[in-house]
Amino acid sequence: MSPLARWCHRHRLAVVLVWVGLLLALGAGVGAAGSAFGNSPTSQDTDSAKATALLQQASDSAAGKSGRVVWQLDGGKVTEPAAEKAMTGMLKGIADAPGVAVVTSPYAPVGKGQISKDGRTAYATVAFDQDVSDAQIDHVKELATEPETGSLRIALNGQAFTVNPEPNAVADALGIVLAFIVLLFVFRAVWVAALPIITAVIGVGTSAVTVMLLSHVITLSDTTLTLGSLIGLGVGIDYALFIVNRHRANLMAGVSVAESVAKSLNTSGRAVVFAGLTVVVALLGMLTLNVGIINGMAIGAAVTVVLTVLAAITLLPALLGMIGPRVLSRKERREMAGRTQPRSSSRTGVWGRWAERIQARPRTLGLVALAVLTALAFPTLSLRLGASDDGNLPTSSTNRQAYDMIADGFGPGFNGPLVLAVQAPTAADKAAEAKLVTALGKVDGVASANSAPMKDGQTVGVVSVVPTTSPQSEATSDLIHHLRDDVIPQAEQGTSMKVYVGGVTASNDDFASVLMSKLPIFVLVIAALGFLLLTIAFRSLLIPAVGALLNILSIGVAFGAIVVVFQYGFGAGLLGLGAAGPIESFVPILVVGIMFGLSMDYQVFLVSRMREEWAHTGDSHRAVRVGQAETGKVIVVAATIMVCVFGSFVFGGMRVISEFGVSLAVAVAVDALLIRMVVVPALMHLCGRANWWLPRRLDRALPNVSVEGPAEEFGHPVHAVREPETTGLAR
């Protein structure tokens, strides 16, 4: 990569202008075309998907969005004259408002079931026209809350009134500011702190507008941008930092700026490209799941990683050429001016002493670290997937208040009824449907079951089943399976009737089941791909195997963190994340892909430096010790930056993104401090020369890819162990 580095250094102004021009041009394209984000269907083969398709086919309604206005009277009943007069007037105003199609009032005969048994809670449904505008919906919200008093509480929920939190730009800014502070504190040089951030921001900015334009071509979720920023800022700053750190070391050793840029890109730059490749492979591996929403997120995140890598290997060399020796602190420049000989590359300090301690006690320290990691990953065993709803929002949210009022007045299951689509083409089938409704009302866990009257010629019926438990309850999931496996098949016997359980609650449960069944296979596929890439890179079987297994352990820690915070609810209230509940179904899949790629990054940067030293000396223990000592500081600083970036997204106001932030921040910290700085070097010391063993036939079959740079650049031949000379387990 030296020619690329020299070219970018020589034409540095042109390179910078090209990047700025590209960003402005793509931004202009977004300004003209906008974006077209949207969610694709999750699955077409589930029971709930079949129910949805049947209900859509049978429905003749042209109504658009709908929502609920819920009210509760403290110390009285909603049928009292004063309360009824106030709410009836409000509902009439809503019915006359532009964009409203139908209002179903609990005070009318058709809405008699919309008042709770204790009389304290009631709700009205508001159906909007298909072409209703956001402004018209906002006007209805204002009308709905006008009668509210100290004793009469009013709240809104439902599809039309759901408030989706917007991505919080403060989260991005907070992560960047924290990253700058960390870099400035560690390196004491403004340009060392600024350059990685400038590179990452331009890379992420370019990828953001690219993804917006890409949304016109493929289906991308509206969370793709936020997820891309989360990943792109973390890896972008880290990738640039690794190159800058190597560049600084070269300058301190007396190398000229131009030559240092070339050498840095030919060593750390190679590692950056390879590390970025592992992240992209892990992300695109999600396409094997063939789930629309995940496919879009994976493609968007992969585009972000590719562009941040391109910025690191083209824009950064140009910026380094512009800055020159000012990438060093004033103190370091004065030291260089006063030296007559280049400084030795040997390192001491905290990480040098820590590497020596790991070499001295690999078994003890390795076992302690593994015990801690196992304890942190243990909560993963109780991981339960699902979907968040209004019940997980903070209590200050009107959607959450309406959810709680409904649960209090009508029962928790009323917030997530099951909708059964019944194919009943014959009179006998219609009679069987009536018997099914009666049977459903007697099932344990069912609060009520009602069917809508079927019109003449109609062959698809609708049965509403209200569970006794909340939509997110495990008991509700058990009820869905009981209906499908036992109750419905018994009712279908001897008839041509077909019944499918649908509704939002059942759809979420099906989606979770589909993804959970694919998760083990996905982990194995990603682990196999990572093993293959590391085998090619390091000409070793043991290092990739250890790396793959430890990556799975770091993923377990990530899962354990979100289970404790979001499923158990520990600390969720303090972070403003709402009530405890199941983990969003697609989060673990994305965490696997992202975390596997990030873990590989640290493994590549750590082991590439070890192999570089192995190429110098052929001494495995020295290679492990020196590699750890020289990369320890930058790996920990890079991990700290990622923790700052990921952690800042926890406060962004979006539960899904907060789940990513918590899981990735905890996993990255643990991965860098315990796995890469303790477990990996400890195991490599125990294995000795076996670390670098590769069968001759496999060595000849694999392509030659040098992550750490060509051996001749170091002035020594590469020492390779083709056949094990010992057991490899003795120190």
Side-chain angles (χ1 to χ4, degrees):
M1 297 183 68
S2 295
L4 175 63
R6 291 191 174 94
W7 190 92
C8 291
H9 178 269
R10 189 165 54 250
H11 301 90
R12 44 191 177 272
L13 180 59
V15 172
V16 172
L17 291 177
V18 166
W19 272 99
V20 173
L22 178 63
L23 180 58
L24 293 176
L26 291 172
V30 170
S35 60
F37 293 111
N39 296 321
S40 62
T42 55
S43 176
Q44 300 298 324
D45 300 323
T46 61
D47 202 62
S48 58
K50 294 175 182 176
T52 300
L54 273 176
L55 294 174
Q56 288 177 343
Q57 181 180 353
S59 175
D60 57 358
S61 173
K65 298 178 180 179
S66 64
R68 284 176 178 166
V69 179
V70 187
W71 58 97
Q72 195 170 66
L73 191 64
D74 294 335
K77 296 185 177 181
V78 296
T79 53
E80 292 178 0
E84 181 173 346
K85 180 180 179 181
M87 298 308 297
T88 300
M90 178 268 289
L91 294 176
K92 184 178 185 305
I94 291 178
D96 295 336
V100 175
V102 179
V103 174
T104 305
S105 169
Y107 302 115
V110 70
K112 61 181 180 179
Q114 296 171 199
I115 298 177
S116 63
K117 291 181 179 179
D118 62 7
R120 293 179 57 249
T121 308
Y123 70 91
T125 59
V126 181
F128 291 92
D129 296 329
Q130 281 189 317
D131 57 351
V132 65
S133 67
D134 291 340
Q136 290 171 335
I137 293 178
D138 290 338
H139 177 59
V140 169
K141 290 180 182 179
E142 293 175 2
L143 294 175
T145 55
E146 281 181 357
E148 192 168 28
T149 64
S151 59
L152 180 63
R153 296 184 294 123
I154 301 175
L156 311 173
N157 73 350
Q159 180 191 17
F161 298 137
T162 295
V163 180
N164 294 316
E166 295 292 330
N168 192 350
V170 176
D172 289 6
L174 179 61
I176 291 171
V177 170
L178 290 175
F180 181 83
I181 292 172
V182 169
L183 288 170
L184 189 60
F185 176 78
V186 172
F187 293 103
R188 311 288 175 150
V190 173
W191 282 114
V192 177
L195 284 177
I197 291 175
I198 292 172
T199 305
V201 167
I202 292 180
V204 170
T206 305
S207 65
V209 290
T210 301
V211 168
M212 288 182 184
L213 293 175
L214 194 60
S215 67
H216 292 278
V217 181
I218 60 176
T219 302
L220 296 176
S221 167
D222 50 10
T223 59
T224 302
L225 274 183
T226 307
L227 182 63
S229 296
L230 183 147
I231 299 170
L233 285 175
V235 300
I237 294 173
D238 279 9
Y239 290 166
L241 175 61
F242 283 116
I243 295 174
V244 170
N245 188 64
R246 176 58 71 97
H247 176 62
R248 282 166 44 83
N250 291 336
L251 292 179
M252 292 297 291
V255 180
S256 67
V257 172
E259 191 60 27
S260 174
V261 169
K263 285 190 173 184
S264 299
L265 211 61
N266 210 35
T267 51
S268 294
R270 286 173 178 262
V272 163
V273 172
F274 192 84
L277 176 63
T278 62
V279 177
V280 171
V281 168
L283 290 170
L284 294 184
M286 300 180 202
L287 299 180
T288 60
L289 300 173
N290 195 28
V291 177
I293 187 173
I294 292 179
N295 289 350
M297 288 184 176
I299 293 172
V303 168
T304 302
V305 173
V306 168
L307 286 171
T308 53
V309 169
L310 286 175
I313 62 174
T314 58
L315 177 62
L316 182 58
L319 293 175
L320 289 173
M322 289 181 169
I323 301 305
R326 284 177 294 169
V327 75
L328 301 174
S329 66
R330 292 181 180 179
K331 180 180 177 181
E332 289 168 333
R333 295 200 297 272
R334 284 196 300 267
E335 289 179 4
M336 284 184 60
R339 281 201 314 264
T340 58
Q341 293 182 347
R343 188 171 70 174
S344 171
S345 62
S346 61
R347 300 285 181 90
T348 56
V350 174
W351 294 107
R353 292 192 295 273
W354 179 248
E356 292 172 355
R357 184 170 297 180
I358 295 292
Q359 184 178 0
R361 305 180 66 184
R363 287 185 178 83
T364 302
L365 293 174
L367 287 174
V368 170
L370 284 173
V372 173
L373 290 166
T374 302
L376 292 173
F378 185 75
T380 302
L381 297 177
S382 58
L383 175 69
R384 187 166 69 88
L385 302 184
S388 61
D389 58 21
D390 291 346
N392 297 115
L393 296 174
T395 53
S396 59
S397 165
T398 184
N399 300 91
R400 170 67 183 275
Q401 292 167 6
Y403 183 97
D404 291 342
M405 288 181 193
I406 290 291
D408 179 53
F410 299 90
F414 204 85
N415 280 302
L418 307 178
V419 182
L420 277 59
V422 182
Q423 274 188 315
T426 67
D429 293 335
K430 291 178 174 61
E433 179 194 5
K435 292 181 181 179
L436 172 63
V437 173
T438 303
L440 288 170
K442 299 176 182 178
V443 174
D444 290 340
V446 173
S448 63
N450 300 286
S451 62
M454 295 178 66
K455 300 177 182 178
D456 292 340
Q458 187 175 347
T459 60
V460 177
V462 180
V463 178
S464 176
V465 177
V466 178
T468 58
T469 50
S470 68
Q472 296 181 356
S473 171
E474 199 165 357
T476 303
S477 180
D478 293 338
L479 173 63
I480 293 171
H481 295 296
H482 175 53
L483 296 181
R484 288 172 173 169
D485 298 339
D486 304 313
V487 178
I488 291 175
Q490 185 175 352
E492 289 176 338
Q493 284 184 354
T495 72
S496 58
M497 178 180 70
K498 293 293 181 182
V499 182
Y500 304 98
V501 180
V504 174
T505 302
S507 297
N508 291 336
D509 189 77
D510 287 345
F511 189 42
S513 298
V514 168
L515 292 185
M516 201 65 177
S517 66
K518 294 181 177 182
L519 184 59
I521 298 175
F522 178 59
V523 171
L524 290 175
V525 169
I526 294 296
L529 289 172
F531 177 84
L532 177 61
L533 287 172
L534 290 186
T535 300
I536 294 172
F538 298 124
R539 322 302 290 184
S540 164
L541 291 179
L542 187 61
I543 291 173
V546 169
L549 291 174
L550 292 178
N551 287 351
I552 293 175
L553 187 56
S554 69
I555 290 169
V557 171
F559 288 178
I562 53 176
V563 167
V564 169
V565 175
F566 293 92
Q567 191 171 312
Y568 296 166
F570 291 112
L574 294 175
L575 296 173
L577 301 177
I583 308 304
E584 295 290 339
S585 302
F586 56 84
V587 167
I589 295 290
L590 288 165
V591 168
V592 168
I594 296 167
M595 197 58 220
F596 209 96
L598 298 181
S599 298
M600 283 291 198
D601 282 1
Y602 293 140
Q603 184 79 345
V604 167
F605 290 122
L606 176 66
V607 178
S608 62
R609 182 63 188 93
M610 291 176 177
R611 192 172 188 277
E612 183 180 324
E613 191 66 23
W614 169 254
H616 275 278
T617 65
D619 183 338
S620 181
H621 294 298
R622 173 181 168 81
V624 174
R625 184 183 70 251
V626 171
Q628 182 183 5
E630 295 200 4
T631 59
K633 177 180 177 180
V634 72
I635 286 178
V636 171
V637 171
T640 303
I641 290 170
M642 277 205 179
V643 170
C644 291
V645 172
F646 294 156
S648 67
F649 280 82
V650 174
F651 307 98
M654 300 175 67
R655 182 182 175 89
V656 174
I657 299 300
S658 296
E659 289 178 4
F660 284 119
V662 168
S663 60
L664 295 177
V666 172
V668 164
V670 169
D671 188 274
L673 293 175
L674 291 181
I675 292 181
R676 308 306 154 187
M677 290 294 104
V678 180
V679 179
V680 169
L683 290 175
M684 292 182 72
H685 279 303
L686 290 172
C687 295
R689 291 173 61 85
N691 289 312
W692 316 104
W693 175 71
L694 188 71
R696 288 191 179 93
R697 289 185 178 179
L698 183 58
D699 182 50
R700 288 194 294 267
L702 292 175
N704 288 312
V705 177
S706 176
V707 175
E708 68 282 356
E712 58 269 18
E713 186 156 311
F714 314 119
H716 297 274
V718 175
H719 297 267
V721 180
R722 303 305 181 196
E723 299 294 344
E725 298 177 7
T726 65
T727 60
L729 298 177
R731 294 187 57 223

